[in-house]
Amino acid sequence: MRTPRCMAGRVMWELLVAPFTEFAFMQRALAGALMLSLSACPVGVFLMLRRMSLTGDAMAHAILPGAAAGFLIYGLEIWPMTLGGLVPGAAVAVGAGAVARLTVQHEDASMAAFYLISLSVGVVMVSLRGSSVDLMHVLFGTVLALDDAAIVLIALVLVVTTLAFGLLWRALVAECLDPLFLRSVSGMGTVVHFGFLALVVLNLVAGFQALGTLLAVGLMILPAAAARFWTQSVLAMVALAVAIGAVASASGLLLSYHLSLPSGPSITLSAGAAYLASVVAGPRGLVVPRLPRRRHRAA
């Protein structure tokens, strides 16, 4: 006769572990999502600290035309779609930065203008040559259909991102705290800025196959925004954002499996739930700072 503890353990195994041990597509989806968390969440932290969170959203839309062109010409081939996404993403980043530095317009406005043009071109391309199913795939991704080539791409982006952070960490932190100081004492300000934008584009392109152009930025920004409510240290914020992203990835895939929900939105909603919980319960959120503090009586 099975004890209640054994029954509870069996139920927990079936709910939380069995989907990842029994199905190869769930294993690939989890591996891809976890690597994306390791790579994209630190990028999201620096986007947030630099007050460029909406820039990530703009860049996610900007890669659509190139990815759509690769999709329409070669079909669901990972490398043509990846290279196609890199070209307009880089063009929008460089173009918006150039307009901001050479004209009176600020970078947020020029980025918005470029990404709206890019997004419109991409949607028109897919609508003219593809079906509504094709459009949904490009916009929202298919994390449960990740193949070996997609896993290799995400792994390569993770390696490049890790190396870049190792080289540029101090400069990125300095630019977040005081960008004018970095530019005054070093000529690396512009290099660091555009190098960081390149990391944003790379991670969005890596997340494109798994989560699509519209949701890839969710895994980048939401865990970072949630981590901000728990700590002030940049390093601790990065570590916590990665942990939140990993938990959101696993829980989103489980929700998708058990409730027959779309996988990409499920991962993003899980990260959104972590963000809302952090807003309420985090030490720097809405509730905790307003709780009455006990005063210690002097002995």
Side-chain angles (χ1 to χ4, degrees):
M1 182 176 179
R2 294 183 179 179
T3 64
R5 182 175 295 181
C6 291
M7 292 292 293
R10 181 64 179 176
V11 171
M12 294 299 292
W13 175 272
E14 292 292 335
L15 289 176
L16 302 179
V17 181
F20 297 118
T21 60
E22 296 178 2
F23 301 101
F25 70 89
M26 288 290 288
Q27 295 170 8
R28 286 194 296 270
L30 181 63
L34 291 179
M35 286 191 292
L36 281 174
S37 298
L38 284 169
S39 182
C41 291
V43 175
V45 168
F46 282 95
L47 275 174
M48 179 189 60
L49 293 176
R50 292 156 63 102
R51 299 181 181 180
M52 294 173 60
S53 298
L54 290 179
T55 299
D57 186 51
M59 298 304 298
H61 291 75
I63 67 176
L64 181 59
F71 172 74
L72 294 175
I73 297 173
Y74 295 98
L76 295 175
E77 294 290 335
I78 182 68
W79 296 110
M81 294 179 69
T82 299
L83 294 175
L86 285 174
V87 173
V92 168
V94 173
V99 169
R101 281 163 172 75
L102 299 177
T103 70
V104 297
Q105 194 169 61
H106 294 295
E107 190 166 14
D108 59 341
S110 59
M111 183 72 73
F114 274 87
Y115 105 76
L116 286 171
I117 295 170
S118 186
L119 174 63
S120 300
V121 170
V123 172
V124 168
M125 289 173 61
V126 178
S127 300
L128 289 177
R129 294 283 306 276
S131 65
S132 59
V133 175
D134 297 333
L135 181 61
M136 292 293 288
H137 170 80
V138 171
L139 294 178
F140 299 105
T142 52
V143 67
L144 295 180
L146 290 180
D147 56 13
D148 293 338
I151 295 295
V152 170
L153 170 66
I154 296 172
L156 288 174
V157 172
L158 172 59
V159 171
V160 171
T161 302
T162 302
L163 292 175
F165 273 122
L167 293 172
L168 302 176
W169 178 267
R170 294 182 64 183
L172 286 171
V173 173
E175 191 177 31
C176 290
L177 298 176
D178 193 346
L180 294 179
F181 173 76
L182 179 64
R183 294 174 188 174
S184 64
V185 302
S186 171
M188 293 291 292
T190 301
V191 174
V192 170
H193 179 72
F194 282 104
F196 177 70
L197 287 181
L199 287 181
V200 175
V201 174
L202 277 175
N203 280 274
L204 289 173
V205 170
F208 166 78
Q209 279 292 321
L211 302 175
T213 57
L214 297 186
L215 297 179
V217 71
L219 191 60
M220 182 180 289
I221 297 298
L222 286 171
R228 185 70 183 273
F229 291 103
W230 296 93
T231 180
Q232 295 183 6
S233 166
V234 177
L235 186 59
M237 204 177 298
V238 167
L240 185 56
V242 169
I244 293 173
V247 173
S249 298
S251 58
L253 288 172
L254 289 171
L255 285 174
S256 172
Y257 175 82
H258 291 297
L259 301 180
S260 299
L261 299 175
S263 52
S266 296
I267 292 174
T268 306
L269 284 175
S270 296
Y275 170 76
L276 294 176
S278 300
V279 170
V280 175
R284 306 178 68 200
L286 291 174
V287 176
V288 174
R290 291 168 175 78
L291 293 176
R293 296 182 179 179
R294 294 181 180 180
R295 295 182 178 179
H296 296 282
R297 294 181 180 179

